Amino acid sequence: MRHNKYKAFGSLCLMTLLGTGLAHAETNDNSIPRLESTSCAAQALEDLNASCYTFYGQENWDDPNGNTIELPIGVIDPETENEADAESDPVVFFPGGPGYSILGNTDYIEQLRKDIGNRSLVVFDPRGFKHAIPSLECPGYAAVSPYHNIIHTPALTSSLDPMERMKHITKEVADCYQKLEDEGIEVAQYTESATSRDVEEIRNLLNYDNVNIFGSSTGSGTALSYVRYYPDSVRAAVLGWPWYTSLRNRSPLDEFYTLKRRFTDVLAMCVEDSEACREQIPTWFLAVDRARRALDNKPYIAQVESEGEQKTLYFDGAAFLDTLYLMLPQYYAELPRIVSQVPEGDYSSLYGFFMIDEYNPVTEAPNYAMGAFLAQACNDMGTNRPTPQDSIAAIQREPAIIGFEPIWLCAWWGGDGDVPPEHNDIVTAETPALAIHGQMDPCCGTRWSDELADTMPNLQAIEMQALGHSPVNDCRSTVINEFLGDPIAQVDTSCQNEVPLDDWQLK
């Protein structure tokens, strides 16, 4: 039954008409789980005419601890004059980050609506996110996180000693965990597997027989967890620029070498496209390392204004790699010039490369619940979390991992997540799936799909030329619409090069 019909009749009428055929229904009592009509959690949902609800569930589904969670939900029906023209298969969107709320982002939601076509869209904040109760807030971590203060975080630029920089972030991770425990939160329950249970209860309460699911970044890992635990509830899965749990939770050095390979692949594209590029960087496969060593030997140092005083920022080879990691879609065409100049001692490009003019001493992450970011990243590792000794050894070997995806810092998270033993196994499923990658996305390239395809035979993948993480172009919406229309059919990927590559910038 379609959700808009569910709204029109109302829960009491539905229960009368359907009897025991409705497993759960919207109620106003104190039962758990339940769904109640409420005001929208963000103005964007109001502006988009969403039907808004609050979901009430157990913090610990397997062993209720007296704590409950409250999750905001918005259901946005398609804009169609004839209800019969709307598709009957709704799409549930899993946000990424982890911890990033899209509920207040009108443009983001409108893009999702364009992607999925004439279908109902269900958006929500997962447990721990900004508009959920409890929201796992850790503002101290926002001040040091390389993910949210981008280039100028103390973890990257405060000194030339990686071990000294490491201390800025590890203390805040430990403090965040303790803060959440002191608030009475059972931190181990904020996992992908628990969110999957939440979504299954929500699906039942909305009276959907099954759903399409659409994940963004780490949300694709959560979406795949839902496939793992509730395969019969999923019609099809769209895995947007995905980080899958089973591949994401691995050695930090493995992550680092994957990223370095992407940088070298960019230079390989340049020398293949341009004879001038080949002449300029004949040893292109060593060029990134040579630039990095030059900055380790002679760091780039910048003076910035910070609260009325001069502050010194230090950019070494690790900062160089971290910046490429975060900014590759903007910088890939400049990379041949930079790796040629820097080893020769020409640092003229680095003021812009390190975005000195954009320095801001005030750190903000307004759409993030930073504790949720850490909780999901670390809890989903289960017993695979590193020890401090593991992470210190990794940083001593490769300082650049300080700025990468935060698996290394989970050594300072206070406990393991409550996840099933099989949670980090590769997902095995017949579910039709479409994975979308950006060619200039260092973290989440086609490697992920290549490995997952071994156990998900109905997985298709597309790589969008010249685009990075969360690519937005017409092709994205075209292929998602086509895939959702017939998830088993082969998707036409001929539009994947619609965004041209930028001209390579040489000397």
Side-chain angles (χ1 to χ4, degrees), residues 3 40 45 50-53 72-76 103 121-125:
H3 172 72
C40 294
L45 296 178
S51 298
C52 293
Y53 305 90
I73 300 167
V75 180
I76 306 169
L103 298 187
L121 172 66
V122 181
V123 294
F124 73 112
D125 265 9

Side-chain angles (χ1 to χ4, degrees), residues 373-385:
F373 175 85
L374 290 168
Q376 185 173 318
C378 300
N379 283 345
D380 281 322
M381 298 188 78
T383 57
N384 286 304
R385 283 192 312 117

Side-chain angles (χ1 to χ4, degrees), residues 73 90 95 119 136 147 151 158 167 198 236 241 264 268 278 363 378 386 393 425 445 449 457 482:
I73 300 167
R119 296 172 175 82
L136 306 191
Y147 263 40
I151 306 303
S158 61
K167 294 177 183 177
D198 299 338
W241 35 107
T264 305
R278 186 180 296 274
T363 301
C378 300
D425 296 345
S449 297
E482 180 183 345

Side-chain angles (χ1 to χ4, degrees), residues 426-488:
I426 294 178
V427 175
T428 299
E430 300 291 327
T431 305
L434 172 68
I436 301 172
H437 304 277
Q439 184 185 33
M440 299 300 168
D441 184 354
C443 77
C444 308
T446 54
R447 170 191 177 184
W448 306 93
S449 297
D450 292 342
E451 296 199 30
L452 192 65
D454 290 339
T455 57
M456 289 188 69
N458 293 317
L459 173 72
Q460 303 182 61
I462 182 172
E463 182 182 67
M464 302 296 184
Q465 178 176 271
L467 299 180
H469 203 59
S470 191
V472 175
N473 60 348
D474 289 338
C475 184
R476 160 179 157 173
S477 297
T478 298
V479 296
I480 292 175
N481 261 294
E482 180 183 345
F483 170 72
L484 291 177
D486 187 353
I488 297 300

Side-chain angles (χ1 to χ4, degrees), residues 241-379:
W241 35 107
W243 271 353
Y244 310 137
T245 301
S246 57
L247 295 176
R248 185 169 169 258
N249 293 344
R250 62 202 196 286
S251 163
L253 289 175
D254 180 62
E255 171 86 352
F256 169 73
Y257 291 126
T258 299
L259 300 168
K260 278 191 64 178
R261 177 178 176 180
R262 173 54 61 187
F263 305 151
T264 305
D265 287 346
V266 169
L267 295 179
M269 292 168 56
C270 180
V271 300
E272 183 177 358
D273 292 345
S274 165
E275 186 62 33
C277 187
R278 186 180 296 274
E279 291 175 359
Q280 182 167 314
I281 46 174
T283 53
W284 51 267
F285 51 89
L286 296 172
V288 171
D289 279 329
R290 287 178 176 177
R292 185 243 184 103
R293 291 202 306 272
L295 282 163
D296 281 336
N297 292 331
K298 181 186 175 183
Y300 179 74
I301 299 175
Q303 297 292 323
V304 295
E305 188 78 14
S306 177
E307 300 176 341
E309 298 180 357
Q310 288 291 307
K311 180 177 181 179
T312 302
L313 302 180
Y314 302 91
F315 298 93
D316 59 6
F320 173 68
L321 295 178
D322 293 328
T323 303
L324 280 180
Y325 170 48
L326 293 164
M327 303 301 295
L328 186 64
Q330 288 77 28
Y331 288 165
Y332 71 87
E334 301 176 42
L335 187 57
R337 185 186 75 238
I338 293 171
V339 298
S340 299
Q341 292 176 337
V342 169
E344 297 175 357
D346 181 354
Y347 285 12
S348 58
S349 297
L350 296 183
Y351 185 91
F353 178 81
F354 288 121
M355 301 185 292
I356 304 304
D357 282 340
E358 298 181 28
Y359 174 78
N360 184 350
V362 179
T363 301
E364 293 182 338
N367 292 318
Y368 272 92
M370 301 303 292
F373 175 85
L374 290 168
Q376 185 173 318
C378 300
N379 283 345

